[in-house]
Amino acid sequence: MSDAMKSKRWEADLLGCLMLDSDTLADMEATGLTAGDFSNDRRGRLFSWLAARIEARKPTDMISVVESIALRADRADFPGLAEVSGYSDDCSPVLAAHIAGELVGLSYRRNALQQLTALVEAYRQETEPDGLQARAEQVLAGLARGTGSTSTWTDGDDLARLLYDDLRARQAAHRDGKPLGVPWGVHALDRRERDPDTGRSAPTLPAMEKGRLYLMPARPAMGKSSLACQVLLSAAQRGESTAVYQLEMEADGLGRKLLSLISGVPTAVMRDGTMTGDEWDKTRAALSELSQLPIHLDTKPAQSIDMIASKARRLATRLQREGKPLRLLVIDYAQLIRSEGRSTEERLSGVSQGLLALAKELQVPVLALAQLNRDCEKRADRRPQLSDLRGSGQFEQDAHAILFIYRDAYYNPMCGHNNTEVIIAKFRDSKTRTLYLKFIPETQRFTDA
């Protein structure tokens, strides 16, 4: 019997089992069976619908099912009523778990064949080694997880369940005073305050959430790398696995920033080798702490977006296997990433879309630093605007949030303060506003203004 015939028969048997004995649903789902494992979309839809009725404690006997489908406006999306009526003829609820497991196996083989066939076709067409490697790793990672090319559609019922779980998690996080996501690591950004319009308490700046791209653009010397280090270190000190692509500076430069944040010893003193005995003791203690932190650093320059995605994918897979899932990915900075394109705008558009796709694939927030063009320095008010994003407007479209970093003291040493403005030019589901931090250049730390 061919795989197609086996799938058709086993799918009919499982649907019949559900209509005879709703308790078999738990046995089927324990094997990992989902609607996406059905070779026929109509039978897969019927499986999801029956599962929802069972969870809602609605009847799923043959007569109730046939009558309910007959009254639905979308009944054409379900198997024919004559076909449904014959499902329970030969099925045995005792064998439900076994048949479900066999069907999952067939689905895996079917999807694996589709993925590998697509990979062979990509090999014939792809000319860039990085692109082919990234495509191959995506396919192999999917096969390693036991998944292939299952449907990416989400129906209303699945969406409602997803939102219910998400909203309950957010309620619990608010009740417990814990952010749902990765905090920014600076009190002025993470603290909760009462909204004067609604009277409700909310974080000053919502935490970074998985699957989203956060952009932090600034002109050079504004402190964007230092703020990113503080965000990274704060997450790592909470035990969350972090990764950073530092495409601009060497490992020791980033390391001194992290050591200074931990120890309080100025980075210039470390760089010049002029530490006192007390400062050296603090630095050694900081080195001991740093060695235990789950920070993963890559400083290889001029990497392509495909290479970055490939490395991040492998790291995330390894950390997941070790029980320490990746929680935050930092890119310093986006314009240094290589990508295909005939113009700077096309190249950076590819980088932006690639980073957003990577955030969604790995289900982690991606914090990408970016450079601004010089247009802001031609204005009387040098504070950056969205139009100053260098190279491409794609970043503005793809980013969940855009946080400009601006320090007036850089342009006006006589201003009398070293405050830094965090200009929130875009933040979906939150307000645009300006927040104020104090920058301590000796230790590269941001505190409340």
Side-chain angles (χ1 to χ4, degrees):
M1 185 184 299
S2 68
D3 285 354
M5 294 179 64
K6 288 179 182 177
S7 291
K8 183 177 180 179
R9 178 173 177 178
W10 288 343
E11 288 166 13
D13 287 346
L14 291 178
L15 293 169
C17 286
L18 288 179
M19 288 186 278
L20 280 179
D21 184 357
S22 61
D23 290 339
T24 57
L25 176 64
D27 296 331
M28 296 178 194
E29 291 182 333
T31 67
L33 181 70
T34 67
D37 293 316
F38 283 68
S39 61
N40 179 277
D41 289 341
R42 288 191 174 97
R43 290 193 289 270
R45 182 177 291 273
L46 179 58
F47 175 82
S48 293
W49 182 73
L50 286 172
R53 286 181 68 86
I54 290 171
E55 290 192 11
R57 300 184 181 278
K58 295 180 179 179
T60 55
D61 60 275
M62 178 64 65
I63 295 176
S64 299
V65 168
V66 171
E67 289 179 346
S68 297
I69 292 177
L71 295 174
R72 291 181 65 93
D74 61 345
R75 55 183 176 275
D77 294 333
F78 290 78
L81 299 182
E83 181 181 339
V84 175
S85 300
Y87 280 163
S88 60
D89 289 349
D90 299 316
C91 68
S92 172
V94 177
L95 299 176
H98 173 72
I99 296 174
E102 292 292 328
L103 191 60
V104 169
L106 278 181
S107 171
Y108 176 72
R109 288 169 55 186
R110 181 172 62 250
N111 291 329
L113 179 61
Q114 293 174 353
Q115 290 288 303
L116 293 173
T117 301
L119 182 58
V120 171
E121 186 62 25
Y123 177 80
R124 292 172 179 164
Q125 299 178 5
E126 182 65 62
T127 57
E128 288 293 325
D130 286 346
L132 182 59
Q133 179 184 2
R135 173 63 177 151
E137 287 177 346
Q138 281 182 312
V139 171
L140 295 176
L143 297 180
R145 292 192 297 269
T147 59
S149 56
T150 54
S151 172
T152 57
W153 291 106
T154 299
D155 60 22
D157 182 58
D158 291 335
L159 180 60
R161 294 187 196 190
L162 182 151
L163 289 172
Y164 175 81
D165 292 340
D166 177 72
L167 293 172
R168 291 304 299 269
R170 291 176 186 276
Q171 283 183 317
H174 176 75
R175 182 182 62 247
D176 299 337
K178 297 179 180 179
L180 191 67
V182 179
W184 295 89
V186 183
H187 176 259
L189 304 182
D190 293 328
R191 70 170 183 262
R192 302 187 70 85
E193 61 181 13
R194 190 168 298 280
D195 189 317
D197 297 328
T198 65
R200 300 186 182 187
S201 174
T204 306
L205 191 62
M208 291 177 284
E209 298 188 30
K210 60 185 180 181
R212 293 172 176 173
L213 174 61
Y214 296 82
L215 197 66
M216 190 183 290
R219 289 294 295 156
M222 290 294 164
K224 59 182 181 297
S225 294
S226 297
L227 183 54
C229 277
Q230 195 163 339
V231 175
L232 183 82
L233 179 62
S234 175
Q237 288 176 326
R238 293 191 302 273
E240 299 177 345
S241 294
T242 59
V244 55
Y245 287 95
Q246 177 49 260
L247 307 178
E248 185 178 27
M249 66 178 72
E250 295 296 330
D252 61 337
L254 178 66
R256 283 195 295 271
K257 284 178 177 287
L258 294 172
L259 279 180
S260 184
L261 286 170
I262 298 172
S263 66
V265 177
T267 53
V269 169
M270 296 182 190
R271 181 199 62 212
D272 298 337
T274 57
M275 288 182 290
T276 65
D278 181 58
E279 289 172 334
W280 176 239
D281 289 340
K282 292 179 180 178
T283 302
R284 283 195 301 178
L287 283 168
S288 178
E289 179 180 341
L290 180 62
S291 69
Q292 302 300 316
L293 294 178
I295 295 175
H296 304 81
L297 170 64
D298 189 320
T299 59
K300 180 179 174 63
Q303 299 191 58
S304 70
I305 185 62
D306 288 330
M307 185 184 298
I308 283 176
S310 173
K311 290 181 177 181
R313 196 176 293 119
R314 290 199 298 269
L315 176 63
T317 299
R318 175 169 66 83
L319 292 174
Q320 185 70 41
R321 192 165 52 242
E322 295 172 357
K324 305 170 184 177
L326 183 64
R327 291 295 310 279
L328 174 65
L329 181 62
V330 177
I331 308 289
D332 188 5
Y333 58 90
Q335 282 96 339
L336 291 179
I337 300 175
R338 291 191 297 109
S339 182
E340 296 297 317
R342 290 172 294 181
S343 65
T344 299
E345 183 173 354
E346 287 184 6
R347 182 177 64 82
L348 292 177
S349 291
V351 170
S352 177
Q353 293 169 346
L355 292 176
L356 178 60
L358 185 60
K360 288 179 174 290
E361 179 186 347
L362 300 184
Q363 281 297 284
V364 299
V366 171
L367 175 61
L369 279 58
Q371 288 280 23
L372 296 174
N373 58 39
R374 295 182 179 274
D375 289 350
C376 58
E377 298 184 347
K378 300 175 183 178
R379 299 190 297 264
D381 183 356
R382 295 185 175 92
R383 287 173 176 80
Q385 304 170 0
L386 289 173
S387 59
D388 297 327
L389 277 171
R390 194 168 84 184
S392 174
Q394 191 68 43
F395 284 114
E396 182 182 346
Q397 298 178 42
D398 293 336
H400 181 78
I402 298 178
L403 288 70
F404 291 113
I405 310 300
Y406 173 79
R407 215 157 34 90
D408 194 44
Y410 178 79
Y411 296 107
N412 180 20
M414 304 299 293
C415 70
H417 63 78
N418 206 18
N419 287 350
T420 297
E421 298 177 23
V422 180
I423 304 170
I424 307 170
K426 174 186 176 182
F427 208 121
R428 291 177 184 145
D429 302 326
S430 188
K431 294 181 178 180
T432 57
R433 57 192 297 190
T434 298
L435 302 174
Y436 297 90
L437 304 177
K438 179 182 178 181
F439 181 57
I440 304 175
E442 293 78 12
T443 57
Q444 308 285 297
R445 178 179 291 278
F446 288 87
T447 64
D448 291 3

